[in-house]
Amino acid sequence: MATPAAAETSDGALAPVARVLDTIDRGAQLAHEQGRPDLVEHLEAARTRLRQGTATVAVVGEFKQGKSTLVNALLQTAVCPVDADIVTAVPTVVSHGETVGVTAYLQPVGDGPVRPVAASLSEMRELVAAHPGEGGQRYVEVHLPHRMLRAGLRLIDTPGVGGLDSAYGQLALGALQTADGALFVTDASQELTQPELDFLRSATERCSATALVVSKTDLYPEWRRIVALNTDHLRSAGIDVPVLPVSSFLRLRATTDPALNEEAGFAPLVAHLAAVVQGQAGRAAEQASAEVDFVAEHLAAATRAERAVLAEPVRSEEVIEDLGRTRQRAAGLAAASASWKVALADGVQDLIADVDHDLQQRLRAVLHEVEGVIDSGDPLDTWSDTEVWLRRQVATAVLANRDLLQSRATDLAADLAADFELTGGAFALRLRGLSDVTETASLPDAAEIALRPGRLQSVMMVTRTTTFGPMLILGVAGLFGIAMPIVGVAAAAVGAGLGKRALREETDRVRSGRRAQAKAAARKYVEEVSFVLSKESRDSLRVTQRQLRDDFQARAEVLEASLAAAHRAAQQASVLPPEQRAARSRELTTHTDRLTQLSTPAGAGRAAG
């Protein structure tokens, strides 16, 4: 049963999209009339992006807080397994499809791509429980014919394994960088912990449309007090997010008893998701509108040139010459040797070097710190905790490095567009997702680190040292006829002292061996992470380079074609007889009015100019 909020998710979100799609249709018609198939193709690409746009909402939180059950309750469909013995270890992406479908994306072999394999809902239990580090799934995608999903909602049920301050927690934060919204799920059994508050603060910095969902209100009678405490904690921490208490169990029961819908508390949650979808749809519509403005500007170029010639026939030759020079400069932008292509290649190479240096610097700092941690204790007792700490610190460093890559790549695109006047439309960099190598790279377990090398040798060394001194003293005493009782006491004391010292030295030696083994394991782990992520960063930036090159090249070619059309229009207008100029001026006025109606307010001024 669809709630009013669900209906809003569908209809309200699609309204701005429908308006822009209508504008794209009219723009394509004008481009077709002016003989500009390149601009028609540009608008068709914008139409495709707009129609395929989705609002991605990540469901995050500690494990066993009800994230998977929440997704099932939202869609009122058993999508994610929720058995007591199941812990989600693989991200599950749920999006719209005309029919139910499941695809498992397997870990790549070597440097190959991620491998998609068709599956079914009945296999979800095995799919989501498989750990990605064991050669299993990278993620699982589910398609459902659901109204909320059809409106553009896309849900990601993220793993909570290892805690929010683990490497997985850092990976979840990394995923929020490109998410449109986030639902942080905690149950009503207790108030928010400090790690949860810290995670929420970081989450809101990366994704402003974050909400706190307090789940399992049907299980805990004191849930209202917990919600009030959580609200106070958020206020004290300066975290401004909506707090949404829900009962997934009652929501699922509402399929047979609609009266339970209100008690389940899902209406505010669905309304929040509707706002996220509408916000994303609005941004997508703005980007598509910018593409329409881009097309309108280029369609207006020929009109402006022709009107300038008709308005002042005596300046026809001057206008035509200016257009010719501008056309030549535009041809230079589209040429294979264009300076912006060299600047793009140089900029990407510099960025690759800077990002790699930043990664190495951060990982070296972590390695130096972990060596200090290892030296401060005995890996026999501390290795398990050290491993968790190391993975978290490396993941934190990797996330910061990824933020630098994202920021610098965006700046590079904006600078190139501004420097070479190739602006227009919107640039959406398609950087690859953050790797989970920080969690899947191998580290030895505590049992391997705790091995005592040379145990028999150590025992023999201590025994020899302990007995050698007393035996020597007794031998000398017998040689000189010294009283044996007195000598025996002295020999025993010397043996005990030597044995204690030898045992301490041997213990230190074995501990130092474990520390060296632990440091070697840490270095090997950091080197593996560095090797994998350095290549991923280079690959991602090269993809970005090709994307920007192709996008700017297309815009340069459009600019050249527009100026060529303007040059031809000015030449044709210059030879019109006087009796035809007035009629042509009226036609151009009508055409300008159509372009003005096509453009948004920002673009209308340029088109009318």
Side-chain angles (χ1 to χ4, degrees):
M1 175 179 177
T3 64
E8 182 182 359
T9 305
S10 176
D11 302 333
L14 295 178
V17 174
R19 288 194 293 270
V20 177
L21 286 173
D22 177 66
T23 306
I24 289 176
D25 289 338
R26 291 187 282 113
Q29 177 63 31
L30 283 171
H32 179 73
E33 291 175 2
Q34 283 193 225
R36 294 296 304 275
D38 54 336
L39 294 179
V40 173
E41 183 178 349
H42 193 86
L43 287 174
E44 290 300 328
R47 185 205 308 276
T48 300
R49 289 193 298 269
L50 183 59
R51 284 179 169 171
Q52 293 177 349
T54 57
T56 300
V57 176
V59 184
V60 298
E62 286 275 17
F63 66 93
K64 290 302 178 184
Q65 297 297 299
K67 299 189 300 296
S68 298
T69 308
L70 179 72
V71 173
N72 292 345
L74 269 171
L75 304 176
Q76 296 183 316
T77 305
V79 180
C80 305
V82 293
D83 293 349
D85 60 340
I86 287 290
V87 174
T88 302
V90 177
T92 304
V93 181
V94 187
S95 55
H96 181 260
E98 295 301 328
T99 59
V100 176
V102 178
T103 304
Y105 291 86
L106 306 183
Q107 288 284 358
V109 177
D111 294 334
V114 177
R115 297 168 292 155
V117 176
S120 64
L121 279 178
S122 61
E123 299 176 271
M124 286 295 295
R125 176 188 174 94
E126 290 76 18
L127 293 175
V128 303
H131 196 286
E134 299 172 352
Q137 285 70 31
R138 174 71 64 86
Y139 66 97
V140 177
E141 187 169 18
V142 181
H143 295 284
L144 293 175
H146 193 280
R147 181 186 182 115
M148 292 176 65
L149 302 176
R150 179 170 59 84
L153 179 64
R154 181 172 178 260
L155 296 170
I156 302 180
D157 181 17
T158 64
V161 179
L164 297 176
D165 57 350
S166 69
Y168 270 124
Q170 297 301 311
L171 292 174
L173 282 176
L176 295 183
Q177 189 74 46
T178 55
D180 301 292
L183 301 178
F184 182 86
V185 183
T186 183
D187 65 31
S189 62
Q190 65 176 16
E191 56 195 285
L192 287 168
T193 63
Q194 189 59 48
E196 287 178 318
L197 286 170
D198 293 341
F199 187 93
L200 263 172
R201 181 180 293 105
S202 298
T204 54
E205 291 172 356
R206 296 172 177 278
C207 180
S208 59
T210 298
L212 172 64
V213 178
V214 182
S215 64
K216 306 180 183 180
T217 57
D218 56 290
L219 295 181
Y220 302 100
E222 295 292 316
W223 68 266
R224 291 180 178 83
R225 184 178 65 85
I226 295 298
V227 168
L229 288 171
N230 286 343
T231 303
D232 291 340
H233 290 323
L234 292 171
R235 186 182 302 111
S236 300
I239 302 172
D240 183 18
V241 296
V243 182
L244 308 172
V246 300
S247 167
S248 298
F249 174 75
L250 293 179
R251 165 77 170 183
L252 290 169
R253 289 283 302 275
T255 55
T256 57
D257 185 359
L260 294 176
N261 242 329
E262 183 176 353
E263 189 177 349
F266 266 69
L269 174 57
V270 175
H272 173 78
L273 293 175
V276 173
V277 172
Q278 289 174 340
Q280 191 280 334
R283 290 188 295 273
E286 288 177 2
Q287 292 175 352
S289 294
E291 299 290 2
V292 174
D293 289 346
F294 173 78
V295 169
E297 170 68 13
H298 283 273
L299 289 175
T303 303
R304 284 197 299 269
E306 197 170 354
R307 291 180 68 180
V309 170
L310 293 176
E312 298 182 76
V314 295
R315 295 186 58 246
S316 298
E317 186 174 347
E318 178 184 350
V319 170
I320 292 172
E321 289 179 354
D322 287 343
L323 285 171
R325 287 190 292 268
T326 305
R327 179 183 177 182
Q328 289 179 351
R329 289 196 296 271
L333 286 176
S337 59
S339 58
W340 66 265
K341 294 180 182 179
V342 177
L344 173 60
D346 291 345
V348 169
Q349 290 303 315
D350 291 344
L351 185 51
I352 288 174
D354 290 347
V355 170
D356 188 66
H357 179 268
D358 178 80
L359 177 63
Q360 301 306 323
Q361 190 175 41
R362 292 179 188 276
L363 292 181
R364 287 180 65 183
V366 171
L367 190 57
H368 179 74
E369 194 172 356
V370 76
E371 288 180 348
V373 171
I374 292 171
D375 283 335
S376 65
D378 187 348
L380 176 66
D381 305 316
T382 63
W383 177 250
S384 296
D385 293 336
T386 302
E387 178 186 353
V388 173
W389 178 89
L390 176 60
R391 290 187 186 275
R392 181 176 66 247
Q393 293 301 107
V394 169
T396 301
V398 168
L399 184 60
N401 179 257
R402 185 65 176 191
D403 290 343
L404 173 68
L405 187 154
Q406 176 78 36
S407 174
R408 291 282 303 277
T410 302
D411 291 344
L412 175 63
D415 291 345
L416 283 171
D419 289 346
F420 300 102
E421 300 180 351
L422 296 175
T423 53
F427 300 103
L429 298 181
R430 295 182 289 274
L431 293 170
R432 295 183 178 180
L434 190 64
S435 172
D436 59 356
V437 65
T438 56
E439 189 63 30
T440 59
S442 61
L443 272 170
D445 58 24
E448 293 179 63
I449 294 294
L451 289 177
R452 302 172 185 267
R455 185 179 181 85
L456 178 59
Q457 179 185 357
S458 300
V459 173
M460 292 178 64
M461 179 66 71
V462 172
T463 302
R464 185 181 67 178
T465 304
T466 304
T467 59
F468 178 76
M471 290 177 64
L472 180 62
I473 293 174
L474 290 173
V476 172
L479 182 64
F480 291 97
I482 303 174
M484 294 303 294
I486 297 175
V487 173
V489 173
V494 170
L498 291 173
K500 184 177 181 181
R501 178 180 177 181
L503 181 62
R504 183 172 60 251
E505 290 176 350
E506 187 61 21
T507 301
D508 290 342
R509 186 186 73 81
V510 173
R511 185 186 299 116
S512 296
R514 285 195 292 265
R515 287 172 176 167
Q517 189 175 358
K519 290 179 182 178
R523 283 193 295 271
K524 182 179 178 181
Y525 167 75
V526 171
E527 287 171 1
E528 183 176 354
V529 171
S530 174
F531 176 76
V532 173
L533 290 179
S534 292
K535 183 179 186 307
E536 288 188 353
S537 293
R538 289 193 298 271
D539 291 345
S540 186
L541 287 170
R542 288 192 181 101
V543 169
T544 299
Q545 179 182 359
R546 288 192 289 271
Q547 175 196 348
L548 292 175
R549 180 198 62 204
D550 294 344
D551 199 346
F552 288 163
Q553 179 67 26
R555 294 174 190 276
E557 290 174 356
V558 166
L559 177 61
E560 181 185 12
S562 297
L563 289 171
H567 190 255
R568 288 193 301 272
Q571 289 177 325
Q572 292 170 0
S574 66
V575 296
L576 281 178
E579 61 271 13
Q580 294 183 13
R581 290 176 182 173
R584 183 55 182 166
S585 295
R586 289 191 295 271
E587 291 177 3
L588 292 176
T589 299
T590 302
H591 185 70
T592 301
D593 291 342
R594 293 176 66 190
L595 287 175
T596 302
Q597 294 171 7
L598 181 67
S599 300
T600 59
R606 296 191 301 269

